[in-house]
Structure formats: structure tokens, C-alpha cells
Amino acid sequence: MLHAIETTGLIKSFGATRALDGVNLRIRQGSVYGLLGPNGAGKTTTIRILATLLKPDAGSATVLGHDVGRNARTVREKVSLTGQYASVDEDLTGTENLVLVGRLLGFSWRDARRRASELLDAFGLTEAAGRLVQTYSGGMRRRIDIAASLVAIPEVLFLDEPTTGLDPRSRNQVWELVRRIAAEGTTVLLTTQYMDEADRLAERLAVIDHGRVIAEGTSRELKAMVGASALHLRLGRADQRERAQVLIARVLGDGVIPGTDPTAVTARLANPSQAAAVLTALSQDSVDVAEFSVGNPTLDEVFFALTGHSAEHPVENGQS
């Protein structure tokens, strides 16, 4: 299998802080791959090394077979990076931004204008093409930013938390763009701390925490690490949560999945029939269950089970 990206034992430190602690990745060409983890886990540091913006302290990394250290110029010719914040010029119009990028990449004026027009149409920005970017909404800015990354179609596109701070409608628009880009053959490496984003977009995922990959696989494979089924409970009273967890652990053994919601409890089940025993135990002890359901564990619950904290919880003293 041809890998677009490979890293082996990747290590990077900033002073006394080790941002990456032996990261190993194998990413299939033409796929969407997700790096899932909290701020400070090492996601952005990994991206910056692969994009040749940082040098690793140890280990190796290749992009499309080219070493990011020895063949940095070749790698840069084949990749594009969209960071967490818009990099376009707010004092230029949408068209002017894309034409500028095209000219910097060596396009003729005619070709730069043609490519700008194509991208503005594809990203639904034609009507706003003549407006200054400073007048764009958050979702429009992310779209023009991604468009700028695609003026020259890259073989690998790095998207570093592309939907941070966007409203649900704008997030859905960016997701559709990512799917379209991947369908046209570009390998996409996506970093995110949003579970639903990773679940919907990525063919495979690596869960990264404190600079280490702690789990890797498809969304289904990662969820299977928690258990085939999960019992989701909503309690009527927050002060009963600790008691409920004790009772559930008594019935199931070590089955309670950590969480932060004071009225929610989730437990892994070996089989769905165990739910009845849990509900009986809670009822007999007068624990008020407002609602319950049995289903597959979510990626959020997987992350809690693996790390003991939320993906939106920042890692202390880390580099993102």
C-alpha cells in the first residue's frame, strides 16, 4: 500500500516540554485521516513538522516518499496547509486574495484570475468575490482560506482544526468541502478536538494525548475498544451521580466511563441485556433515572475511556 505520510518515532521538545514523544503514523494516499486530541496534545506540532515548518529532534517523517528534512523543498511543492486561523488578507477582496496566491505560485494573470473564479464558484463565494474579506462571516473566511490552499491543487492537504469557532451551518459547509477535496484524490490530514467531526470525515483516526498516539484505527474499531454496547443514563438529580456510579460498578465491574456532565453516567456493557440489571439496582436504591438508552459508545466516550479527560480539555504545558 502506498502511504502518503509516514512517521517513525517522531520527537519534538520545546524547552523542558516534550510536545511529541515518539509519534508513529501511516496514512494511506487519497484518504482523510484524523488526528484527534485536546489542545496541547501535539497535533499542530505534528502538522508543522510534516509541512516542513519545524524540524523534529528525533525520528523520521516522509510525505509522498520524500523526507521532510532532506527534501523539504520537494515536500513544499506537493502540500498545502490551512491553519487554525485565516491567513488571507482582510484588506483584499476574495478575488484579489486568490489571484495574489496564484501569482505567487507562478500563474499568469489570466490563469490566476481563471483559477480564482473557479474556486469562488466551487466554494459558493461568487456573490462575495468583490467584497473585502473583513466583511465575510466566520464560515466564509474559512472557505476562502481553504480555497487559497487549493489554488494549486496539492497532493496532500493539512487542515489544522479548520472549524474551530464556527457555527453549525458553517461547520457543515467546511465538512462538505473536505469530502469534495478528498473525493478528487487529495490526501487530507485533519486535526480536530471535535468528536463528531472526526467521526464524520476521517477514514482512520489516531488519538493523540501528551505527544503520544494512544490508539489508532477506524471509528468503529476505536469504539469497539470501549465495548460493543454502552448504557447512557440521564439522572434526575446531580447529587446522585456518585451513588449511581458505585451501584453500576457493583453490577458490571469496572464498566463506568468517565465524564464531566453532572447528571449523566455512561457504562460499557458486555451485552445489552446487562442494562436491565443496572436499572433494577438503581431503582432499588431510589436513584432517579430521568431517561436511558442503549447504543454504541461515542468517540467522546472512547476518548474519556482512553485518557480520563475530554478532548476539549487542554493538556497542561503542551504544544498543540
Side-chain angles (χ1 to χ4, degrees), residues 148-271:
S149 300
L150 299 174
V151 171
I153 300 174
E155 294 182 54
V156 176
L157 175 62
F158 300 116
L159 293 177
D160 191 12
E161 300 195 17
T163 63
T164 296
L166 297 187
D167 59 81
R169 180 174 177 272
S170 297
R171 289 181 70 202
N172 280 318
Q173 291 174 338
V174 173
W175 290 349
E176 184 55 40
L177 291 174
V178 173
R179 294 187 187 100
R180 188 187 311 170
I181 292 164
E184 294 175 357
T186 294
T187 303
V188 179
L189 176 56
L190 169 81
T191 76
T192 184
Q193 55 181 314
Y194 296 133
M195 302 296 166
D196 55 344
E197 186 161 271
D199 214 358
R200 294 191 189 194
L201 293 178
E203 175 185 300
R204 295 185 70 82
L205 292 160
V207 179
I208 188 167
D209 195 38
H210 290 91
R212 297 182 180 182
V213 174
I214 59 175
E216 198 273 348
T218 65
S219 174
R220 184 186 297 272
E221 289 168 346
L222 294 179
K223 290 174 183 178
M225 293 180 181
V226 175
S229 299
L231 174 63
H232 306 274
L233 298 171
R234 176 69 59 184
L235 304 180
R237 293 167 46 190
D239 62 355
Q240 291 187 321
R241 184 170 184 258
E242 185 175 349
R243 179 60 181 163
Q245 290 176 322
V246 170
L247 291 169
I248 293 170
R250 189 177 298 166
V251 174
L252 299 178
D254 185 20
V256 178
I257 299 173
T260 57
D261 189 330
T263 63
V265 181
T266 300
R268 63 175 68 88
L269 302 174
N271 60 75

Side-chain angles (χ1 to χ4, degrees), residues 15-236:
T17 300
R18 178 159 289 193
L20 298 182
D21 193 14
V23 170
N24 300 312
L25 296 173
R26 302 289 184 276
I27 301 175
R28 184 182 69 81
Q29 193 165 345
S31 66
V32 178
Y33 192 96
L35 284 183
L36 178 62
N39 287 333
K43 305 187 305 298
T44 296
T45 300
T46 301
I47 289 282
R48 289 175 64 82
I49 288 174
L50 293 171
T52 75
L53 299 177
L54 285 176
K55 292 183 178 181
D57 298 329
S60 64
T62 61
V63 175
L64 299 168
H66 303 284
D67 185 274
V68 297
R70 294 192 300 271
N71 307 114
R73 181 173 180 177
T74 302
V75 171
R76 291 184 193 126
E77 292 172 350
K78 296 178 178 293
V79 307
S80 190
L81 167 65
T82 295
Q84 297 177 19
Y85 305 100
S87 59
V88 292
D89 191 329
E90 293 190 343
D91 294 324
L92 299 179
T93 67
T95 295
E96 289 169 343
N97 267 287
L98 298 184
V99 170
L100 174 61
V101 172
R103 291 291 290 156
L104 289 173
L105 292 172
F107 286 48
S108 67
W109 280 107
R110 176 181 296 178
D111 288 343
R113 292 191 186 98
R114 187 187 73 249
R115 183 59 177 158
S117 179
E118 292 172 351
L119 289 167
L120 289 164
D121 180 61
F123 285 27
L125 293 169
T126 299
E127 292 185 3
R131 287 167 43 195
L132 298 181
V133 169
Q134 64 186 252
T135 69
Y136 284 15
S137 67
M140 293 168 69
R141 291 187 187 207
R142 292 310 286 159
R143 279 184 279 159
I144 194 69
D145 204 34
I146 295 173
S149 300
L150 299 174
V151 171
I153 300 174
E155 294 182 54
V156 176
L157 175 62
F158 300 116
L159 293 177
D160 191 12
E161 300 195 17
T163 63
T164 296
L166 297 187
D167 59 81
R169 180 174 177 272
S170 297
R171 289 181 70 202
N172 280 318
Q173 291 174 338
V174 173
W175 290 349
E176 184 55 40
L177 291 174
V178 173
R179 294 187 187 100
R180 188 187 311 170
I181 292 164
E184 294 175 357
T186 294
T187 303
V188 179
L189 176 56
L190 169 81
T191 76
T192 184
Q193 55 181 314
Y194 296 133
M195 302 296 166
D196 55 344
E197 186 161 271
D199 214 358
R200 294 191 189 194
L201 293 178
E203 175 185 300
R204 295 185 70 82
L205 292 160
V207 179
I208 188 167
D209 195 38
H210 290 91
R212 297 182 180 182
V213 174
I214 59 175
E216 198 273 348
T218 65
S219 174
R220 184 186 297 272
E221 289 168 346
L222 294 179
K223 290 174 183 178
M225 293 180 181
V226 175
S229 299
L231 174 63
H232 306 274
L233 298 171
R234 176 69 59 184
L235 304 180

